[in-house]
Amino acid sequence: MAIGFALLSISPLHEKTVYEKLTQISEIIEVHPLFGEFDILVKIQADDIDSIGCIVINKIRSIQGVMDSKTLIGTKSLSG
């Protein structure tokens, strides 16, 4: 199981629509609106790192209003 996070920049006036569409993607387990450089943070759970990349490209970035994304992959290397 792999965990990833995507920081999303959303075009003005599309925030609510994008938020709602993100909540309908089964691999996205958390969606958080933000203030600051990015507009939304999502937590993605998938089988592996490649699957996270496919989800970001095919399911998240294809949503109208998503202008940019920065994807981070989680690790358990510090837990023991």
Side-chain angles (χ1 to χ4, degrees):
M1 189 66 56
I3 296 292
F5 300 88
L7 292 160
L8 308 176
S9 296
I10 311 301
S11 60
L13 304 177
H14 287 89
E15 295 90 353
K16 185 173 182 178
T17 303
V18 171
Y19 179 91
E20 290 170 356
K21 289 183 179 181
L22 291 168
T23 63
Q24 297 171 6
I25 298 172
S26 61
E27 297 90 353
I28 294 178
I29 57 176
E30 294 180 27
V31 182
H32 300 277
L34 304 172
F35 292 114
E37 183 178 350
F38 296 97
D39 301 302
I40 295 177
L41 167 70
V42 296
K43 183 176 181 180
I44 306 161
Q45 183 174 317
D47 293 331
D48 52 46
I49 293 171
D50 289 333
S51 296
I52 290 174
C54 290
I55 293 162
V56 171
I57 292 168
N58 298 321
K59 294 186 177 184
I60 296 174
R61 290 183 61 110
S62 65
I63 297 172
Q64 183 177 1
V66 175
M67 298 185 335
D68 194 24
S69 66
K70 181 176 285 193
T71 305
L72 308 163
I73 303 298
T75 180
K76 293 183 180 182
S77 64
L78 297 178
S79 62

